[in-house]
Amino acid sequence: MELRELQAVLFDMDGTLVTSDASVERAWTTWASEYGVSVAEVLSQAHGAPAESTVARMLPQLGEVARSTAAARQLELQYDDLSDVVAAPGAFEVLASLGGLPWAVVTSADLRLAKARLGAAGIDPPLLVTIEDISRGKPDPEGYLRAAELLAVDPRYCLVVEDAEVGLAAGRAAGARTAALKGLDGDFRLRDLHDLASLLNRSGG
């Protein structure tokens, strides 16, 4: 697919459209201390993945109820920590460059956290797919496939924009093209969202 054939853009939220890495890391650091696990190991695995799947990897001995409780605690630490959550550099520029293309946010956050962070950043997506809308989180493609279905667009004509390897894996598994931030490898490698805006403007997107 060439960018001129693009029919929809599907954005990850944290670290992609919204700068929230500090908030995420503060929450996981506190959580790791409470649950007696390695902060460094948690932070190496948590970014971009659903809280419950990270908890399951870090504390495999927990039963289902205890795992859900631990994941809920991690999210609770994030809900009100919005002091430095802002739109990512180039976010408004890239949204303005879409030229009427459908777009969505697909996030591993729950609805409460997603709305809080997007609201703090001043971004109001026409479609928001959260972890509560699917049964399997990233790197499973379900979230991106769900967004494409709701937008009535073939996933092959979607561009997934991500800053985490689990999200890029989900986008590839959905059959979409990928745009990668933070030095990761995708069909398009971006320094920031300004790069994507320039690509879309040049393609007539």
Side-chain angles (χ1 to χ4, degrees):
M1 181 196 73
E2 301 294 332
L3 276 181
R4 63 177 177 273
E5 300 175 288
L6 189 64
Q7 295 180 15
V9 181
L10 311 178
F11 294 95
D12 172 52
M13 182 179 72
D14 292 311
T16 299
L17 271 186
V18 174
T19 297
S20 54
D21 287 357
S23 173
V24 171
E25 291 183 7
R26 284 192 297 268
W28 277 113
T29 298
T30 300
W31 181 91
S33 176
E34 291 179 358
Y35 280 84
V37 298
S38 165
V39 172
E41 191 172 354
V42 167
L43 294 180
S44 73
Q45 298 190 42
H47 188 61
E52 192 157 342
S53 65
T54 301
V55 170
R57 288 194 300 273
M58 299 304 302
L59 297 170
Q61 72 275 17
L62 293 185
E64 184 176 349
V65 173
R67 187 168 62 245
S68 295
T69 299
R73 171 57 180 158
Q74 203 283 329
L75 289 171
E76 181 183 325
L77 290 165
Q78 298 188 55
Y79 288 139
D80 298 321
D81 187 355
L82 302 171
S83 61
D84 49 6
V85 173
V86 295
F92 295 118
E93 181 184 350
V94 78
L95 295 177
S97 74
L98 293 178
L101 278 177
W103 64 280
V105 170
V106 179
T107 177
S108 295
D110 66 5
L111 182 63
R112 177 180 170 185
L113 183 58
K115 285 193 168 183
R117 286 206 175 127
L118 290 165
I123 295 171
D124 183 19
L127 175 64
L128 175 60
V129 176
T130 72
I131 194 64
E132 294 157 322
D133 297 312
I134 57 176
S135 58
R136 297 175 302 279
K138 301 170 186 177
D140 192 279
E142 184 181 357
Y144 284 120
L145 291 172
R146 179 65 173 152
E149 177 186 19
L150 291 170
L151 293 175
V153 174
D154 187 321
R156 294 176 299 173
Y157 295 97
C158 292
L159 180 67
V160 165
V161 187
E162 274 277 0
D163 75 315
E165 185 51 50
V166 289
L168 291 166
R172 287 190 290 266
R177 297 294 295 276
T178 58
L181 293 156
K182 297 183 179 175
L184 298 177
D185 192 25
D187 295 300
F188 304 93
R189 298 183 70 175
L190 311 173
R191 290 169 299 179
D192 56 31
L193 293 179
H194 294 293
D195 282 355
L196 181 56
S198 295
L199 287 170
L200 290 170
N201 285 327
R202 287 201 300 268
S203 71

